[in-house]
Amino acid sequence: MLRLLCFTAHPDDEAGAFGGTLLHYAELGVETHVVCLTAGTAATHRGGAKSDQELATIRRREFAIACRLLKVSQDTVLDYPDARLDRQDFQTVVADLARRIREIRPHVIVTMGPEGAITAHPDHSMVSIFATMACHWAGRSNRFVDQLEHGLTPHVTQKLYFGTALFTMPGRQPISLPPSTAVIEMSQHERETKVAAFKCHESQSPLFPFFEETVAKRGRLELFHLAASSTPRKVETERDLFAGVVE
Ligand SMILES: [Zn+2]
């Protein structure tokens, strides 16, 4: 069975950035996993929560409901602090993500770009950097050797993609997006389910108009940049993230 692993920073990134693609591959029989690094407690919109802990509970629940709608096989929210991913210990986070890669053993990993995606959020940049190093180092027998003493084996992920776009948002910090090399065209049903999954994040409802605007700009497409491939290859525009992947 083919496996897809998606690393995100905040609950709602899975729907907003990758919703169509996650559903598309789940419906093709791919086992899909989402690992979200924070519970999103630094959010401006608090959904009536009286404490960070309460907001974390709300957002974890919303994430689980959205993932169910997107037919995600396994959804996980980690406990790293929202808005502070750039202050975390690099070795600790990369080791944690590498261990998850060695356990899940994905054929393809998708994450955000180091520019921080269209919102330029520093947490988006950091999940990209952590996931990228975890992807490369999970495959090596000389990295995080302690994990290998406990029964895990190195795992080489065949492809790593960054989500990308062909537009930027006015009024935001400047971003330099990676060029699109892969295009996933969503069906009407996939696009509608992506919007519905984003709207599962009710605590973030003031963001719905912004989301609708970006969905309109993306049209039926979710775009990706091939950032690493276990077999050397030239850039060519792909229509399937699993193209050339060996099961
Ligand atoms: Zn985010």
Side-chain angles (χ1 to χ4, degrees):
M1 180 181 241
L2 292 169
R3 288 177 296 276
L4 174 68
L5 171 57
C6 176
F7 284 113
T8 63
H10 313 111
D12 74 17
D13 293 338
E14 79 295 339
F18 305 107
T21 300
L22 286 168
L23 181 64
H24 178 79
Y25 283 106
E27 291 190 332
L28 287 174
V30 173
E31 188 181 295
T32 59
H33 297 252
V34 181
V35 174
C36 177
L37 267 64
T38 82
T41 55
T44 308
H45 310 293
R46 319 268 316 158
K50 290 170 193 67
S51 65
D52 279 1
Q53 206 180 348
E54 202 179 320
L55 181 57
T57 304
I58 291 169
R59 297 206 69 185
R60 284 172 186 274
R61 191 188 321 128
E62 290 170 346
F63 174 81
I65 296 167
C67 284
R68 204 173 310 145
L69 212 52
L70 297 172
K71 302 188 176 176
V72 171
S73 307
Q74 188 185 69
D75 59 278
T76 308
V77 180
L78 304 182
D79 209 19
Y80 293 103
D82 187 13
R84 295 183 64 84
L85 287 183
D86 57 342
R87 319 283 169 86
Q88 302 310 297
D89 180 68
F90 181 77
Q91 283 284 328
T92 305
V93 184
V94 176
D96 183 0
L97 302 192
R99 182 174 55 76
R100 290 166 198 280
I101 292 168
R102 287 169 170 174
E103 288 167 352
I104 294 168
R105 308 188 83 75
H107 298 80
V108 173
I109 291 178
V110 296
T111 189
M112 307 176 101
E115 79 290 341
I118 51 171
T119 58
H121 197 302
D123 284 346
H124 297 167
S125 301
M126 293 314 299
V127 73
S128 178
I129 288 161
F130 291 140
T132 297
M133 290 329 303
C135 175
H136 288 288
W137 289 349
R140 298 185 191 166
S141 60
N142 63 352
R143 301 299 303 179
F144 311 122
V145 176
D146 57 313
Q147 296 175 2
L148 306 176
E149 287 161 5
H150 294 97
L152 287 176
T153 53
H155 175 73
V156 175
T157 301
Q158 293 180 43
K159 287 163 133 187
L160 167 69
Y161 288 96
F162 298 149
T164 191
L166 292 177
F167 61 90
T168 59
M169 301 305 290
R172 296 267 174 170
Q173 290 294 319
I175 52 167
S176 301
L177 287 158
S180 163
T181 68
V183 181
I184 300 299
E185 192 168 341
M186 291 179 276
S187 65
Q188 189 63 25
H189 153 72
E190 286 162 353
R191 193 163 177 267
E192 282 166 6
T193 308
K194 170 184 176 157
V195 173
F198 193 87
K199 292 188 172 179
C200 292
H201 297 275
E202 280 172 29
S203 65
Q204 306 305 304
S205 60
L207 297 179
F208 291 173
F210 172 78
F211 175 69
E212 306 256 22
E213 190 187 334
T214 63
V215 163
K217 285 192 180 189
R218 287 186 200 273
R220 295 176 84 105
L221 307 180
E222 283 184 359
L223 303 177
F224 293 87
H225 171 84
L226 179 62
S229 166
S230 62
T231 50
R233 62 178 76 211
K234 288 182 181 170
V235 168
E236 52 186 72
T237 298
E238 298 174 309
R239 298 199 157 266
D240 175 12
L241 304 185
F242 288 82
V245 166
V246 180
E247 196 163 345

